[in-house]
Amino acid sequence: MIDVFTANTPNGVKIPIAMEEIGAPYKLHILDLGKQEQKKPEFLKINPNGRIPAIIDRDGPEGQSLPVFESGAILLYLAEKFGKLLPTEPGPRIEAIAWAFFQTGGIGPMMGQAGFFKRNHPDFEAGYARFFAESERLVGVMEQALEDDPYLVGDDCTIADIMHIGWIDRSAGYFGFDLSKFPAVQAWHQRMMAREGTMRGLAVFASA
Ligand SMILES: N[C@@H](CCC(=O)N[C@@H](CS)C(=O)NCC(=O)O)C(=O)O
């Protein structure tokens, strides 16, 4: 059994989506970020960074419990453990991992900061403009990749897609991003949102 500690945010949705896409059992623990539950000492033992998502694999290596933090590391761990959502051939495999890094190092921080300035410092236009422009540039990189393939790495959904779907899905509401400028990303967004596993992964927050 895998314990999933998360919340209904662009990073938080990744893990239930992955678990549902994989089809493995898990126990969901939804943290109240407003109450700072992610900063409590017991949670910092699971993620020293005090953020969601995190997991504990109760049946980790040698049968021991293993905590894992950082969404990219969690998805890679799950993909390797269950043999799903990651191509086996070395080229496509590292390409999927590269997209996961692209999301945690690029799309996530840039969109996060764009949202921060829009919501908290709307008067400081240069901050919002800077992160909005960089978000557009990065989604443009996704656009190029998705012009030729249905998913970021070829014909199948991988961890690369799951890393991005929460951010792309919420970008309009969060900081006024216009996805219609990127037709291939828009089509991919619809493709992802129509997947059974992805729908189930998102639905866990509605019923929680
Ligand atoms: N790089 C981290 C980012 C995690 C992150 O920023 N999580 C946010 C929610 S989307 C969070 O926990 N925010 C609450 C806080 O910072 O205290 C990952 O990919 O796991």
Side-chain angles (χ1 to χ4, degrees):
M1 179 60 82
I2 296 197
D3 285 293
V4 174
F5 302 86
T6 194
N8 189 5
T9 72
N11 288 315
V13 298
K14 294 168 183 171
I15 315 304
I17 290 175
M19 295 307 296
E20 296 290 343
E21 288 281 353
I22 288 168
Y26 61 103
K27 189 169 177 206
L28 191 67
H29 307 265
I30 297 189
L31 275 68
D32 188 333
L33 301 184
K35 289 188 180 156
Q36 300 289 298
E37 287 181 346
Q38 72 280 18
K39 310 296 184 203
K40 288 190 172 170
E42 58 266 33
F43 186 71
L44 295 179
K45 288 184 191 149
I46 307 167
N47 182 356
N49 195 28
R51 291 189 158 190
I52 58 90
I55 63 165
I56 300 177
D57 183 359
R58 302 286 173 193
D59 184 25
E62 297 173 11
Q64 302 290 309
S65 280
L66 180 72
V68 188
F69 68 100
E70 279 293 322
S71 61
I74 296 168
L75 290 201
L76 188 54
Y77 178 80
L78 296 173
E80 289 182 332
K81 179 181 176 89
F82 293 105
K84 293 191 176 168
L85 298 175
L86 195 60
T88 49
E89 285 185 25
R93 183 177 184 280
I94 200 64
E95 197 184 334
I97 293 171
W99 280 111
F101 276 79
F102 173 88
Q103 190 280 311
T104 54
I107 291 274
M110 295 307 126
M111 290 194 169
Q113 294 302 323
F116 171 82
F117 281 109
K118 178 153 184 77
R119 285 156 181 257
N120 301 338
H121 294 284
D123 46 314
F124 183 50
E125 286 173 24
Y128 174 64
R130 158 75 186 151
F131 292 109
F132 188 96
E134 186 60 3
S135 298
E136 278 201 321
R137 190 190 69 77
L138 291 168
V139 177
V141 177
M142 293 177 69
E143 177 75 9
Q144 281 173 5
L146 289 164
E147 270 165 3
D148 298 328
D149 291 310
Y151 293 99
L152 282 167
V153 184
D155 292 332
D156 299 310
C157 175
T158 68
I159 61 168
D161 304 286
I162 295 173
M163 289 296 285
H164 288 86
I165 188 60
W167 282 101
I168 296 298
D169 184 52
R170 291 168 189 202
S171 59
Y174 189 44
F175 67 99
F177 195 76
D178 181 7
L179 211 51
S180 69
K181 286 186 183 172
F182 303 94
V185 176
Q186 201 170 34
W188 164 88
H189 171 244
Q190 286 166 4
R191 197 172 298 124
M192 284 297 290
M193 297 303 275
R195 291 179 65 86
E196 296 275 326
T198 299
M199 284 194 275
R200 280 198 305 272
L202 290 167
V204 300
F205 296 101
S207 56

